[in-house]
């Protein structure tokens, strides 16, 4: 028979641990990991006051169902690992049966990793369509010094990893904006892809899209076949800006007319905006430095802040 009273040490062992700052991904999730901790702490205090450990059990049962959930982490199996560039990988995760994540556009999910006994959390945006059945896919870049990257680099097919969500998102409605201008740096491409795919999948959606992808070199452009397919649609244009290429001559001819070398600067931004068919609504995703630069160039080109959305 389980002793329900238990001594002080037993209770302390069950006390939820306060998250460290590295565990908060800083993306403004609702609930944040700190909210989850506050709730679990209150649950623990109630249980301890009543000396009844069974009051702590509900939390354990919840995470066994394989539905994504914003409050608790759920285990997912890695079904494939594909290296896209020297430091970027595409991971596919299994969903039970033919279920789908049912994310709304541009929503992100939060990954939990353990590195040298430290728990880290980071937000990623799945690149698979929200209605993809039986799987979801995430694009991830590994950084030399990144804590989470050290964990991700060890992944192989069949491993189990933990996600919670979804959070955030861009409230996209078909035909709400005449033209979307998407400014994406590197893996900032991720939240743009489900939106692009929802537009091309919907024959009624006549939104024009200009996607500007900023990469260092031609080799670093992710998912080229998918982007080339999207660019065939009448309402989608894709420009590439390659900051470390010096000439376009080595590129395949199909890329030469829509690729620029150097950085995306104020003049180029004005050129791109002037080439839009209508005044665009702008979606931006990249590093904080990239976002700040884009914000400045857009302002100089006459685009108001209320016409911009940052992922």
């Amino acid at each position: 028979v389980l002793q329900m009273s238990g001594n002080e040490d037993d209770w302390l062992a069950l006390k939820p641990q306060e998250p460290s700052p590295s565990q908060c991904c800083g993306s403004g999730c609702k609930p944040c990991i700190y909210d989850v901790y506050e709730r679990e702490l209150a649950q623990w205090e109630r249980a301890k006051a009543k000396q009844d450990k069974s009051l702590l059990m509900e939390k354990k049962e919840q995470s066994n169902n394989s539905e994504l959930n914003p409050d608790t982490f759920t285990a997912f199996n890695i079904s494939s690992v594909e290296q896209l560039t020297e430091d970027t990988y595409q991971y596919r995760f299994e969903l039970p049966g033919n279920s789908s994540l049912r994310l709304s556009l541009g929503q992100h999910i939060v990954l939990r990793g353990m590195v040298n006994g430290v728990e880290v959390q980071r937000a990623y945006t799945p690149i698979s369509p929200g209605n993809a059945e039986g799987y979801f896919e995430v694009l991830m870049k590994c950084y030399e010094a990144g804590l989470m990257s050290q964990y991700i680099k060890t992944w192989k097919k069949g491993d189990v990893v933990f996600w919670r969500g979804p959070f955030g998102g861009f409230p996209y409605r078909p035909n709400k904006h005449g033209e979307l201008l998407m400014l994406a740096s590197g893996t900032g491409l991720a939240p743009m892809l489900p939106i692009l795919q929802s537009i091309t999948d919907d024959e009624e959606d006549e939104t024009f899209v200009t996607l500007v992808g900023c990469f260092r070199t031609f080799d670093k452009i992710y998912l080229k076949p998918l982007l080339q397919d999207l660019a065939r649609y009448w309402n989608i244009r894709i420009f590439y800006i390659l900051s470390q290429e010096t000439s376009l001559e080595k590129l395949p001819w199909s890329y030469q007319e829509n690729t620029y070398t150097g950085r995306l600067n104020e003049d180029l931004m004005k050129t791109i905006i002037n080439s839009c068919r209508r005044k665009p609504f702008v979606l931006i995703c990249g590093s904080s430095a990239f976002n700040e630069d884009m914000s400045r160039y857009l302002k100089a080109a006459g685009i108001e802040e209320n016409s911009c959305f940052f992922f």
Side-chain angles (χ1 to χ4, degrees):
V1 180
L2 183 65
Q3 272 282 200
M4 274 305 178
S5 65
N7 62 21
E8 203 63 16
D9 290 346
D10 283 359
W11 279 103
L12 280 178
L14 293 168
K15 186 175 181 177
Q17 281 192 309
E18 181 167 6
S20 64
S22 71
Q23 291 173 265
C24 176
C25 71
S27 299
C29 306
K30 295 264 181 285
C32 169
I33 176 147
Y34 284 103
D35 301 333
V36 175
Y37 164 71
E38 294 292 337
R39 203 174 51 231
E40 289 179 356
L41 186 62
Q43 187 186 352
W44 176 81
E45 282 167 351
R46 275 198 309 275
K48 184 171 183 285
K50 294 188 173 160
Q51 292 287 307
D52 180 357
K53 288 181 186 164
S54 68
L55 294 175
L56 296 172
M57 295 314 288
E58 56 185 327
K59 155 176 131 208
K60 301 284 180 290
E61 290 159 20
Q62 208 173 352
S63 52
N64 289 345
N65 65 3
S66 40
E67 288 255 309
L68 189 67
N69 175 323
D71 299 330
T72 49
F73 281 94
T74 302
F76 293 94
N77 281 327
I78 300 175
S79 56
S80 73
V81 176
E82 189 183 346
Q83 186 164 359
L84 300 180
T85 68
E86 60 188 354
D87 57 2
T88 309
Y89 298 81
Q90 182 174 338
Y91 295 96
R92 181 177 274 221
F93 301 90
E94 276 172 38
L95 289 170
N98 281 340
S99 63
S100 72
L101 278 188
R102 297 191 294 278
L103 298 191
S104 58
L105 293 169
Q107 283 193 309
H108 62 266
I109 55 180
V110 172
L111 171 68
R112 179 176 72 192
M114 290 299 287
V115 186
N116 310 329
V118 176
E119 186 178 305
V120 193
Q121 301 196 15
R122 292 283 180 276
Y124 296 91
T125 308
I127 57 172
S128 40
N131 56 0
E133 294 184 349
Y135 75 94
F136 65 96
E137 288 176 327
V138 182
L139 181 67
M140 295 178 162
K141 180 170 179 160
C142 291
Y143 298 91
E144 272 309 303
L147 270 181
M148 187 62 97
S149 300
Q150 292 169 36
Y151 167 62
I152 291 170
K153 278 179 189 159
T154 66
W155 287 359
K156 47 197 189 308
K157 186 177 169 175
D159 284 354
V160 172
V161 302
F162 290 85
W163 294 97
R164 73 183 175 99
F167 304 103
F170 169 61
Y172 179 74
R173 290 207 309 278
N175 299 310
K176 179 181 176 186
H177 306 286
E179 179 147 3
L180 290 176
L181 171 59
M182 298 178 167
L183 306 174
S185 170
T187 47
L189 195 59
M192 310 300 181
L193 292 173
I195 298 173
L196 275 165
Q197 288 174 313
S198 82
I199 291 171
T200 55
D201 286 348
D202 180 357
E203 286 181 7
E204 309 285 303
D205 193 343
E206 300 189 343
T207 307
F208 287 113
V209 182
T210 299
L211 168 64
V212 179
C214 300
F215 299 91
R216 286 198 198 135
T217 59
F218 183 72
D219 297 336
K220 293 237 189 321
I221 301 175
Y222 315 121
L223 308 169
K224 287 190 188 84
L226 172 63
L227 293 171
Q228 292 292 75
D229 279 346
L230 288 166
R232 293 197 181 101
Y233 284 85
W234 63 274
N235 50 341
I236 310 266
R237 296 186 304 171
I238 301 183
F239 292 116
Y240 300 98
I241 297 178
L242 306 176
S243 58
Q244 291 177 10
E245 293 280 3
T246 45
S247 97
L248 298 173
E249 286 168 20
K250 297 195 194 82
L251 304 192
W253 64 266
S254 62
Y255 282 86
Q256 290 181 14
E257 63 178 339
N258 57 348
T259 301
Y260 298 88
T261 58
R263 298 187 81 83
L264 176 47
N265 56 24
E266 195 176 304
D267 289 343
L268 185 48
M269 180 73 87
K270 285 181 177 160
T271 304
I272 290 170
I273 286 175
N274 290 336
S275 75
C276 290
R277 286 140 287 203
R278 306 183 180 136
K279 193 167 181 182
F281 186 91
V282 190
L283 303 179
I284 304 142
C285 188
S287 65
S288 50
F290 176 82
N291 292 353
E292 282 166 30
D293 289 345
M294 295 309 110
S295 192
R296 226 174 33 252
Y297 306 154
L298 287 164
K299 195 178 259 169
I303 302 287
E304 306 300 320
E305 267 181 38
N306 60 7
S307 298
C308 300
F309 181 89
F310 290 88
F311 283 102

